[in-house]
Amino acid sequence: MNTPSDHNTLDSLRQRLTAVAQLDASALDAEEIAVLGRKAGELTSQLKALAKLSIEEKRTVGAALNAIKLEFEAAFAARRAELTRGANAAASRDLDLSLPGRDTWTGTRHPVSIVIDEIVAIFRELGFAVALGPDIENEERNFFALNFPPDHPALDMHDTLYLEARGSQGEPLLLRTHTSPVQVRVMRDGPPPYRVVIPGLAYRNDPFDASHAPAFSQIEGLAVDEGVTFVDLKATLSHFAHRVFGESVKVRFRPSFFPFTEPSAEMDVSCTICGGSGCAACKGTGWLEILGCGMVHEQVLKNCGVDPEKYTGFAFGMGPARIAMLRYGLPDIRLLYGGDVRFLRQFGEIGQ
Ligand code: PHE
C-alpha cells in the first residue's frame, strides 16, 4: 500500500474525485464505499495509516487527507442529487399529457343481488330473520327429511350433482338442488316459532340455456307457529308480490305439488309486460309464475322434531334471477349469470 505521505496516493485520490461526477447510480454507491467505507475505504485506510508517520507529516498529510475527504463527501452528494433530478426529468418526459384519461373502475351491484336484498328487506319488515345453510348437503336433508320418496327422480345423478366426497357417516354428498334443506336445519336447530328467509345458491345438472343455469339463486321462506294457516301464506305472499311488482298487479294461487308441502301452490302475478292481455313474455296466458309454496307437510314437521298437532306453517321458494328477468325485461338468464360486466354494470352503482 502506498503511504499517505506518498504523492501518488493523493494524486490518484484526486483523479478518482474528478471521476465522481460521471458515475451512474450503482457505480456511485460502489465508489462511495470504496473510498469512504468505514472498514476498507481507501481514504479511511490512509487516515488510519497516519499513525505511522512523524508528527510533522501527520500535520500536513492529515490536513490534505481531511480536505480531500470533505471534497469526496460533497462530490458524492452532488452527483447523487444530479442523478435524482435526471430521473425525475426523464419520468416527466415520458408522461404523455395528450393520452386519454384512464377510466377508474367502480364496482356495481349485481342485478340479482339487488333483487335479493330488496326481497329480503320486504320479509324482514314482516318479522322474518335471515337464515343461511351450506351449499353441500346430504340426501337426508336435501330430500328425505323433506318427504321425497327414495325413488324420486330428483335423486337421479341426471338431475342432481353428487360429489365424490362422502359425509361424516359415509353418506353421499351433493350440491343442494334447492334451499329447502335449510328449512330442515332451522327446524332442527331449536324450537318454534320460526320466521326465516333463506337466500342462497342451488345447483342442478341442467344445461346453461336461456331459462336454466347450473347454479342459481333461490330465496326460501319458512313460517311455523301455532295457528298459521293458508290465509297467512296468501296474505304474506300477496303483500310481497305487490311490493315487488306494484300495487296494481293481480295475484293468483294455482294448485301444485311439492313433496314437502301439502297443500302446495304456485303463485302467479298478472303479466307485468302486457298487464294480463297476453304477450310473448307470458306466453299468451296473461300470468307470470313467480314462486312455489304450500303448507309445511306434517311429515316434514315430524322429521324435524316439530309437533304437527301444535304447530303449522307455510314455506315458499323463488328464483331471484327470474324475478330480475321479469323486472328488467331480460329474455335470457345467461345475461345475469354469464358474467359479462359490460352488461351487468348497467344496473346501478354501489350504494344505489
Ligand atoms: N324447493 C322448491 C323448488 O326448488 C320451491 C319450494 C320451496 C316450494 C318451499 C314450496 C315450498 O322448486
Side-chain angles (χ1 to χ4, degrees), residues 70-149:
L70 291 177
E71 284 185 70
F72 264 110
E73 285 168 353
F76 286 127
R79 180 60 182 153
R80 189 157 285 124
E82 196 175 25
L83 287 172
T84 313
R85 269 198 308 278
N88 290 343
S92 62
R93 263 199 313 282
D94 291 343
L95 183 70
D96 181 351
L97 295 174
S98 69
L99 283 175
R102 225 182 271 168
D103 214 358
T104 49
W105 176 259
T106 313
T108 58
R109 288 165 70 218
H110 193 284
V112 175
S113 301
I114 295 172
V115 168
I116 291 170
D117 288 353
E118 189 180 318
I119 293 170
V120 167
I122 292 168
F123 283 100
R124 286 181 65 115
E125 280 180 23
L126 296 176
F128 285 70
V130 173
L132 300 172
D135 295 19
I136 295 175
E137 273 293 3
N138 58 20
E139 291 179 312
E140 201 274 325
R141 278 182 297 265
N142 193 81
F143 295 123
F144 304 137
L146 291 166
N147 203 34
F148 282 69

Side-chain angles (χ1 to χ4, degrees), residues 177-180 183 204 218 220-221 258 260-261 292-294 315-318:
T177 57
H178 51 179
T179 42
S180 303
Q183 285 190 37
R204 288 181 198 170
Q218 282 199 331
E220 188 87 10
F258 300 102
F260 37 93
T261 47
C293 57
F316 56 89
M318 65 181 108

Side-chain angles (χ1 to χ4, degrees), residues 143-349:
F143 295 123
F144 304 137
L146 291 166
N147 203 34
F148 282 69
D151 59 351
H152 194 282
L155 274 81
D156 199 320
M157 295 282 282
H158 200 70
D159 299 309
T160 300
L161 294 158
Y162 282 86
L163 304 181
E164 272 173 26
R166 297 269 160 164
S168 55
Q169 315 299 315
E171 77 278 22
L173 293 177
L174 46 80
L175 292 174
R176 65 183 179 194
T177 57
H178 51 179
T179 42
S180 303
V182 190
Q183 285 190 37
V184 178
R185 288 177 176 273
V186 167
M187 288 192 274
R188 287 178 178 171
D189 202 37
Y194 317 108
R195 278 184 185 78
V196 289
V197 274
I198 304 153
L201 288 173
Y203 304 83
R204 288 181 198 170
N205 195 7
D206 281 333
F208 198 12
D209 65 23
S211 50
H212 298 89
F216 55 98
S217 288
Q218 282 199 331
I219 298 180
E220 188 87 10
L222 176 70
V224 175
D225 203 344
E226 289 179 44
V228 174
T229 70
F230 202 87
V231 173
D232 298 300
L233 176 155
K234 285 182 78 174
T236 306
L237 295 178
S238 301
H239 167 83
F240 153 76
H242 287 130
R243 285 288 299 274
V244 172
F245 295 103
E247 287 303 324
S248 60
V249 298
K250 284 192 275 216
V251 178
R252 75 174 185 187
F253 292 84
R254 273 182 298 110
S256 185
F257 176 81
F258 300 102
F260 37 93
T261 47
E262 180 59 35
S264 304
E266 243 142 327
M267 185 180 84
D268 299 343
V269 297
S270 52
C271 181
T272 48
I273 312 281
C274 64
S277 56
C279 69
C282 59
K283 299 193 185 83
T285 64
W287 294 95
L288 300 168
E289 188 186 313
I290 299 302
L291 54 76
C293 57
M295 300 306 290
V296 181
H297 198 293
E298 200 182 314
Q299 188 60 49
V300 174
L301 293 174
K302 281 189 198 152
N303 293 344
C304 299
V306 176
D307 180 0
E309 299 299 325
K310 190 167 176 205
Y311 295 103
T312 51
F314 65 85
F316 56 89
M318 65 181 108
R322 181 170 162 75
I323 294 175
M325 286 167 75
L326 296 173
R327 145 91 58 94
Y328 299 117
L330 307 177
D332 191 319
I333 200 167
R334 287 171 294 195
L335 289 168
L336 291 172
Y337 288 135
D340 183 342
V341 286
R342 292 168 306 176
F343 172 78
L344 294 171
R345 66 184 314 199
Q346 305 171 77
F347 290 89
E349 297 299 317

